[in-house]
Amino acid sequence: MKKTILITGGAGFIGSHVVRRFVNKYPEYLVVNADKLTYAGNLENLADIDKKENYAFEKTDIVDKQSVFDLFRKYNFDGVIHLAAESHVDRSITSPDEFVFTNIIGTVNLLNASLELWKNAPEGKLFYHISTDEVFGSLGAEGYFTEVTAYDPKSPYSASKASSDHLVRAYNHTFGIPAVISNCSNNYGPNQFPEKLIPLAINNIKNSKPIPVYGKGENIRDWLYVEDHASAIDLIFHRGNNGETYNIGGNNEWKNIDLIILLCKIMDTKLGRQDGTSERLITYVKDRPGHDARYAIDSSKLQGELGWSPIPEFAVGLEKTVEWYLANTGWLERVLSGDYGRYYEKMYAGR
Ligand code: NAD
Ligand code: TYD
């Protein structure tokens, strides 16, 4: 069936994997990627598909209400997959305002534009909001986040994502906008901006620089390969039930320090360094303020109801990720030097 789908934040880490999957798998869909291209947005992530006929890029700031409404009137979307966000906890601690604008106001603008378009004929339409497990706060040694765990966000990032989740549910309940939400654990894989833990550590190990580990390195995260998140999003977009929430996680908990030690071993092998060389770069640094202790997702609803399961073992996924970063040094250098802004000018001049 022909559909026109809006994917917001498609030039970012997870968004680019979702856009690629939809463009390649659903040639009958027109996939419109709307992205502001902040520091985290990089059109080079989509260079392999950007000439496809069923793909269009629109440089859009979702905080700009008029631009959002113009976009919806231009394309008459059947579905929205909303990933655009400010996504880095550390940045939300130094400058929270941008998180409120993009994650809350931006989401409301998208909801209002969807409402204008769909209010008289909501059948077959869907607003799919991509969220995070961080809205649930922090776990102790035991237990898991389920779909009914009470929200208890602890950082400006997670508070802004929690607000946007509440707004999506409120628009679903009050105005009848067809909507689903998923809350996913930490992602890793190719194309992640190198200020998040895994790509930052890979880059520093490669350059023999210190690997900064916050506090004692005992905080626990549940890591999921980005392609597994994209496959879950595909499934939920097509088969998720209106008004439902789905938790997505890798059942793959790692203490930060254990993860870094595993990464160091993989890097030593890949770089032909003597075993133990990279571990010597580990440097404990001042902890993040309000650092959440543990995240762990129970994804049995998604697995049981929709038949989803994650694929690679962590060591395999991590090795694939390391290989990608070592093979794509140009991408890394351009991202770090800000060169991809010029790539955008070149690729999209006059479009
Ligand atoms: P990212 O920071 O790599 O990408 C975000 C994208 O949004 C970028 O392309 C950026 O240019 C765009 N953007 C930012 N502000 C915008 C605005 N005002 N208007 C339009 N576009 C804007 O983020 P990511 O890691 O790919 O995360 C994507 C989504 O998934 C986010 O909503 C995030 O909360 C959620 N999520 C991320 C993780 C994770 O581990 N990375 C886990 C669970 C959920
Ligand atoms: P991050 O990738 O920022 O994701 P999030 O905070 O959303 O979980 O960080 C993952 C974990 O790694 C988190 O516990 C903070 C920690 N961390 C470090 O120890 N050192 C670093 O340099 C970074 C960026 C993160």
Side-chain angles (χ1 to χ4, degrees), residues 49-104:
I49 57 111
D50 73 358
K51 299 281 186 297
K52 296 239 176 170
E53 280 188 359
N54 66 332
Y55 172 74
F57 174 71
E58 294 279 355
K59 189 170 187 300
T60 313
D61 181 353
I62 59 167
V63 178
D64 179 353
K65 187 174 176 178
Q66 192 58 50
S67 305
V68 171
F69 273 75
D70 289 347
L71 189 72
F72 274 67
R73 287 172 192 149
K74 176 174 174 186
Y75 286 100
N76 201 6
F77 297 115
D78 299 295
V80 175
I81 305 179
H82 175 35
L83 294 110
E86 286 293 333
S87 70
H88 191 186
V89 175
D90 290 327
R91 283 184 186 245
S92 85
I93 295 169
T94 51
S95 29
D97 299 24
E98 210 53 47
F99 287 71
V100 173
F101 293 134
T102 290
N103 299 359
I104 306 177

Coordinates of all heavy atoms in Angstrom, one line a residue, residues 49-104:
I49 N 21.6 6.1 0.2 CA 20.2 6.0 -0.3 C 19.6 7.4 -0.7 O 18.4 7.5 -1.1 CB 19.2 5.4 0.8 CG1 19.3 6.2 2.2 CG2 19.5 4.0 1.1 CD1 18.1 6.9 2.5
D50 N 20.4 8.4 -0.6 CA 19.8 9.8 -0.8 C 19.3 10.1 -2.2 O 18.7 11.1 -2.4 CB 20.6 10.9 -0.1 CG 21.8 11.2 -0.9 OD1 22.1 10.6 -1.9 OD2 22.6 12.2 -0.4
K51 N 19.7 9.2 -3.1 CA 19.2 9.5 -4.5 C 18.0 8.6 -4.9 O 17.5 8.7 -6.0 CB 20.4 9.2 -5.5 CG 21.6 10.0 -5.4 CD 21.4 11.4 -6.0 CE 22.7 12.2 -6.0 NZ 23.3 12.4 -4.7
K52 N 17.6 7.8 -3.9 CA 16.4 6.9 -4.2 C 15.1 7.7 -4.4 O 14.9 8.8 -3.7 CB 16.2 5.9 -3.1 CG 17.4 5.0 -2.9 CD 17.0 3.6 -3.0 CE 18.2 2.7 -3.0 NZ 17.8 1.3 -2.8
E53 N 14.3 7.3 -5.3 CA 13.1 8.0 -5.7 C 12.1 8.1 -4.5 O 11.2 9.0 -4.5 CB 12.4 7.4 -6.9 CG 13.1 7.8 -8.2 CD 12.4 7.3 -9.4 OE1 11.3 6.7 -9.3 OE2 12.9 7.6 -10.5
N54 N 12.1 7.1 -3.6 CA 11.1 7.1 -2.5 C 11.6 7.8 -1.3 O 11.2 7.5 -0.2 CB 10.6 5.7 -2.2 CG 11.8 4.8 -1.7 OD1 12.9 5.0 -2.0 ND2 11.4 3.8 -0.9
Y55 N 12.7 8.6 -1.4 CA 13.3 9.3 -0.3 C 13.3 10.8 -0.6 O 13.7 11.2 -1.7 CB 14.7 8.8 0.0 CG 15.5 9.6 1.0 CD1 15.2 9.5 2.3 CD2 16.5 10.5 0.6 CE1 15.9 10.3 3.3 CE2 17.2 11.2 1.6 CZ 16.9 11.1 2.9 OH 17.5 11.9 3.8
A56 N 13.0 11.6 0.4 CA 13.1 13.1 0.3 C 13.7 13.6 1.6 O 13.3 13.1 2.7 CB 11.8 13.7 0.0
F57 N 14.5 14.6 1.5 CA 15.0 15.3 2.8 C 14.5 16.7 2.9 O 14.4 17.4 1.9 CB 16.6 15.3 2.7 CG 17.1 16.1 3.9 CD1 17.0 15.6 5.2 CD2 17.6 17.4 3.7 CE1 17.5 16.3 6.3 CE2 18.1 18.1 4.8 CZ 18.0 17.6 6.1
E58 N 14.0 17.1 4.0 CA 13.6 18.4 4.3 C 14.3 19.0 5.5 O 14.1 18.4 6.6 CB 12.0 18.4 4.5 CG 11.2 18.0 3.4 CD 11.0 19.2 2.4 OE1 11.4 20.3 2.7 OE2 10.4 18.9 1.3
K59 N 15.1 20.0 5.3 CA 15.8 20.6 6.5 C 14.7 21.4 7.3 O 14.2 22.4 6.8 CB 16.9 21.5 6.0 CG 17.8 22.0 7.1 CD 19.0 22.7 6.6 CE 20.0 23.0 7.7 NZ 19.5 23.9 8.7
T60 N 14.4 20.9 8.4 CA 13.3 21.5 9.2 C 13.7 21.5 10.7 O 14.2 20.5 11.2 CB 12.0 20.5 9.1 OG1 11.8 20.2 7.7 CG2 10.8 21.2 9.7
D61 N 13.3 22.6 11.3 CA 13.5 22.7 12.8 C 12.1 22.4 13.4 O 11.1 23.2 13.2 CB 14.0 24.1 13.2 CG 14.1 24.3 14.7 OD1 13.7 23.3 15.4 OD2 14.7 25.3 15.1
I62 N 11.9 21.3 14.1 CA 10.5 21.0 14.6 C 10.0 22.0 15.7 O 8.9 22.0 16.0 CB 10.5 19.6 15.2 CG1 11.4 19.3 16.3 CG2 10.6 18.6 14.0 CD1 11.2 18.0 17.1
V63 N 10.9 22.9 16.2 CA 10.5 23.9 17.1 C 9.8 25.0 16.4 O 9.0 25.7 17.0 CB 11.7 24.4 17.9 CG1 11.3 25.5 18.9 CG2 12.4 23.3 18.7
D64 N 10.0 25.1 15.1 CA 9.4 26.2 14.3 C 8.0 25.7 13.8 O 7.9 24.9 12.8 CB 10.3 26.5 13.1 CG 9.8 27.6 12.2 OD1 8.6 28.0 12.4 OD2 10.5 28.0 11.3
K65 N 7.0 26.2 14.5 CA 5.6 25.7 14.3 C 5.2 25.8 12.8 O 4.6 24.9 12.2 CB 4.7 26.5 15.2 CG 3.3 26.0 15.2 CD 2.5 26.8 16.2 CE 1.0 26.4 16.1 NZ 0.2 27.1 17.1
Q66 N 5.5 27.0 12.2 CA 5.1 27.3 10.8 C 5.7 26.3 9.9 O 5.0 25.7 9.0 CB 5.5 28.7 10.4 CG 4.8 29.2 9.1 CD 3.3 29.1 9.2 OE1 2.7 29.6 10.1 NE2 2.6 28.4 8.2
S67 N 7.0 26.0 10.0 CA 7.7 25.0 9.2 C 7.1 23.7 9.3 O 6.9 22.9 8.3 CB 9.2 24.9 9.5 OG 9.8 26.1 9.5
V68 N 6.7 23.3 10.5 CA 6.1 21.9 10.7 C 4.8 21.9 10.0 O 4.5 20.9 9.3 CB 6.0 21.6 12.2 CG1 5.2 20.4 12.5 CG2 7.4 21.5 12.9
F69 N 3.9 22.9 10.2 CA 2.6 22.9 9.5 C 2.8 22.9 8.0 O 2.0 22.2 7.3 CB 1.8 24.0 10.0 CG 1.0 23.7 11.3 CD1 1.7 23.6 12.5 CD2 -0.3 23.4 11.3 CE1 1.0 23.3 13.7 CE2 -1.0 23.0 12.4 CZ -0.4 23.0 13.6
D70 N 3.7 23.7 7.5 CA 3.9 23.7 6.0 C 4.3 22.4 5.5 O 3.9 21.9 4.5 CB 5.0 24.7 5.7 CG 4.6 26.2 5.9 OD1 3.4 26.4 6.1 OD2 5.5 27.1 5.9
L71 N 5.2 21.7 6.3 CA 5.6 20.3 5.9 C 4.5 19.4 5.8 O 4.3 18.6 4.9 CB 6.7 19.9 6.9 CG 7.4 18.6 6.6 CD1 8.5 18.9 5.5 CD2 8.2 18.1 7.8
F72 N 3.6 19.4 6.8 CA 2.5 18.5 6.8 C 1.5 18.8 5.7 O 0.9 17.9 5.1 CB 1.8 18.5 8.2 CG 2.4 17.6 9.2 CD1 3.6 17.9 9.7 CD2 1.7 16.5 9.7 CE1 4.2 17.0 10.7 CE2 2.2 15.7 10.7 CZ 3.5 15.9 11.2
R73 N 1.3 20.1 5.4 CA 0.4 20.4 4.3 C 1.0 20.0 3.0 O 0.2 19.6 2.1 CB 0.1 21.9 4.3 CG -0.8 22.3 5.5 CD -1.0 23.8 5.7 NE -1.7 24.1 7.0 CZ -1.4 25.1 7.7 NH1 -0.6 26.1 7.3 NH2 -2.1 25.3 8.9
K74 N 2.3 20.1 2.8 CA 2.9 19.7 1.6 C 2.8 18.3 1.3 O 2.5 17.8 0.2 CB 4.4 20.2 1.6 CG 5.2 19.8 0.4 CD 6.7 20.4 0.5 CE 7.5 19.8 -0.7 NZ 8.9 20.3 -0.5
Y75 N 3.0 17.4 2.3 CA 3.1 16.0 2.1 C 1.9 15.2 2.5 O 1.8 14.0 2.1 CB 4.3 15.4 2.8 CG 5.6 15.7 2.2 CD1 6.4 16.8 2.7 CD2 6.1 15.1 1.0 CE1 7.6 17.1 2.1 CE2 7.3 15.4 0.5 CZ 8.1 16.4 1.0 OH 9.3 16.7 0.4
N76 N 1.0 15.7 3.3 CA -0.2 15.0 3.7 C 0.2 13.6 4.2 O -0.3 12.5 3.8 CB -1.1 14.8 2.4 CG -2.5 14.5 2.8 OD1 -2.9 14.5 4.0 ND2 -3.3 14.3 1.8
F77 N 1.0 13.6 5.3 CA 1.5 12.3 5.8 C 0.5 11.3 6.3 O -0.5 11.7 6.9 CB 2.5 12.6 7.0 CG 3.7 13.4 6.6 CD1 3.8 14.7 7.2 CD2 4.6 12.9 5.7 CE1 4.9 15.5 6.8 CE2 5.7 13.7 5.4 CZ 5.9 15.0 5.9
D78 N 0.8 10.0 6.1 CA -0.1 8.9 6.6 C 0.4 8.5 8.0 O -0.3 7.9 8.8 CB -0.1 7.7 5.7 CG -0.6 8.1 4.3 OD1 -1.8 8.4 4.2 OD2 0.2 8.1 3.3
G79 N 1.7 8.7 8.2 CA 2.3 8.2 9.5 C 3.5 9.1 9.8 O 4.2 9.7 8.9
V80 N 3.8 9.1 11.1 CA 5.0 9.9 11.6 C 5.8 9.0 12.5 O 5.2 8.3 13.4 CB 4.5 11.1 12.4 CG1 5.7 11.8 13.1 CG2 3.7 12.1 11.6
I81 N 7.1 8.9 12.3 CA 8.0 8.2 13.3 C 8.9 9.3 13.8 O 9.7 9.8 13.1 CB 8.7 7.1 12.6 CG1 7.8 6.1 11.9 CG2 9.6 6.3 13.6 CD1 8.5 4.9 11.2
H82 N 8.7 9.6 15.1 CA 9.3 10.8 15.6 C 10.6 10.5 16.5 O 10.4 10.0 17.6 CB 8.3 11.6 16.5 CG 8.8 12.8 17.2 ND1 9.8 13.6 16.7 CD2 8.4 13.3 18.4 CE1 10.0 14.5 17.6 NE2 9.2 14.4 18.6
L83 N 11.7 10.7 15.8 CA 13.0 10.5 16.6 C 13.7 11.8 16.9 O 14.7 11.7 17.7 CB 13.9 9.6 15.7 CG 13.5 8.2 15.5 CD1 13.1 8.0 14.0 CD2 14.6 7.2 15.9
A84 N 13.4 12.9 16.2 CA 14.2 14.1 16.4 C 14.2 14.5 17.9 O 13.2 14.6 18.5 CB 13.7 15.2 15.6
A85 N 15.4 14.7 18.4 CA 15.5 15.1 19.8 C 16.9 15.6 20.1 O 17.9 15.2 19.4 CB 15.2 13.9 20.7
E86 N 17.0 16.3 21.2 CA 18.3 16.5 21.8 C 18.5 15.3 22.7 O 17.6 14.9 23.4 CB 18.4 17.8 22.7 CG 18.5 19.0 21.8 CD 19.8 19.2 21.1 OE1 20.8 18.6 21.5 OE2 19.8 19.9 20.0
S87 N 19.6 14.5 22.5 CA 19.7 13.2 23.1 C 20.8 12.9 24.1 O 20.9 11.8 24.6 CB 19.8 12.2 21.9 OG 21.1 12.3 21.3
H88 N 21.6 13.9 24.3 CA 22.8 13.6 25.2 C 22.7 14.1 26.6 O 22.6 15.3 26.8 CB 24.1 14.1 24.5 CG 25.3 13.6 25.1 ND1 26.6 14.1 24.8 CD2 25.5 12.7 26.1 CE1 27.5 13.5 25.5 NE2 26.9 12.6 26.3
V89 N 22.6 13.2 27.6 CA 22.4 13.5 29.0 C 23.4 14.6 29.4 O 23.0 15.6 30.1 CB 22.5 12.3 29.9 CG1 22.4 12.7 31.3 CG2 21.4 11.3 29.5
D90 N 24.7 14.4 29.1 CA 25.7 15.4 29.6 C 25.4 16.8 29.0 O 25.5 17.8 29.8 CB 27.1 15.0 29.1 CG 27.5 13.7 29.9 OD1 27.2 13.6 31.1 OD2 28.3 12.9 29.3
R91 N 24.9 16.9 27.8 CA 24.6 18.3 27.2 C 23.4 18.8 27.9 O 23.2 20.0 28.1 CB 24.3 18.2 25.7 CG 25.5 18.1 24.9 CD 25.2 18.1 23.4 NE 26.3 17.8 22.6 CZ 26.8 18.7 21.7 NH1 26.3 19.9 21.6 NH2 27.9 18.4 21.0
S92 N 22.4 17.9 28.4 CA 21.2 18.4 29.0 C 21.5 19.0 30.4 O 20.8 19.7 31.0 CB 20.2 17.3 29.1 OG 20.4 16.4 30.3
I93 N 22.7 18.6 30.9 CA 23.1 19.1 32.3 C 23.7 20.5 32.1 O 23.5 21.4 32.9 CB 24.1 18.1 32.9 CG1 23.3 16.8 33.3 CG2 24.7 18.7 34.2 CD1 24.1 15.6 33.7
T94 N 24.5 20.7 31.0 CA 25.1 22.0 30.8 C 24.2 23.0 30.2 O 24.2 24.1 30.5 CB 26.4 21.9 29.9 OG1 26.1 21.1 28.7 CG2 27.5 21.2 30.7
S95 N 23.2 22.5 29.3 CA 22.3 23.5 28.7 C 20.9 22.8 28.5 O 20.6 22.3 27.4 CB 22.8 24.0 27.4 OG 23.7 23.2 26.7
P96 N 20.1 22.8 29.5 CA 18.8 22.1 29.5 C 17.8 22.8 28.5 O 16.9 22.1 28.0 CB 18.3 22.2 30.9 CG 19.4 22.8 31.7 CD 20.4 23.4 30.8
D97 N 17.9 24.1 28.3 CA 16.8 24.8 27.5 C 16.5 24.2 26.2 O 15.4 24.0 25.8 CB 17.2 26.3 27.3 CG 17.4 27.0 28.6 OD1 17.7 26.4 29.6 OD2 17.3 28.3 28.5
E98 N 17.6 23.8 25.5 CA 17.4 23.3 24.1 C 16.6 22.0 24.2 O 15.9 21.6 23.2 CB 18.9 23.0 23.5 CG 19.0 23.1 22.0 CD 18.4 24.4 21.5 OE1 18.8 25.5 22.0 OE2 17.7 24.3 20.5
F99 N 16.8 21.2 25.3 CA 16.0 20.0 25.4 C 14.5 20.2 25.6 O 13.7 19.5 25.1 CB 16.6 19.2 26.6 CG 17.9 18.6 26.3 CD1 19.1 19.4 26.2 CD2 18.1 17.2 26.1 CE1 20.3 18.9 25.9 CE2 19.3 16.7 25.7 CZ 20.4 17.5 25.6
V100 N 14.2 21.3 26.3 CA 12.8 21.7 26.5 C 12.2 22.1 25.1 O 11.1 21.7 24.8 CB 12.7 22.8 27.5 CG1 11.2 23.3 27.6 CG2 13.1 22.3 28.9
F101 N 13.0 22.9 24.4 CA 12.4 23.4 23.1 C 12.2 22.2 22.2 O 11.1 22.0 21.6 CB 13.4 24.4 22.5 CG 13.5 25.7 23.3 CD1 14.7 26.3 23.5 CD2 12.4 26.3 23.7 CE1 14.8 27.5 24.2 CE2 12.4 27.5 24.4 CZ 13.7 28.1 24.7
T102 N 13.3 21.5 21.9 CA 13.2 20.4 20.8 C 12.3 19.3 21.3 O 11.4 18.8 20.6 CB 14.6 19.9 20.4 OG1 15.2 21.0 19.7 CG2 14.5 18.7 19.6
N103 N 12.6 18.8 22.5 CA 11.9 17.5 22.9 C 10.5 17.7 23.3 O 9.6 16.8 23.1 CB 12.7 16.8 24.0 CG 14.1 16.5 23.6 OD1 14.5 16.7 22.4 ND2 14.9 15.9 24.5
I104 N 10.1 18.9 23.9 CA 8.8 19.1 24.3 C 8.0 19.9 23.3 O 7.0 19.5 22.7 CB 8.7 19.8 25.7 CG1 9.5 18.9 26.7 CG2 7.3 19.9 26.2 CD1 9.6 19.5 28.1

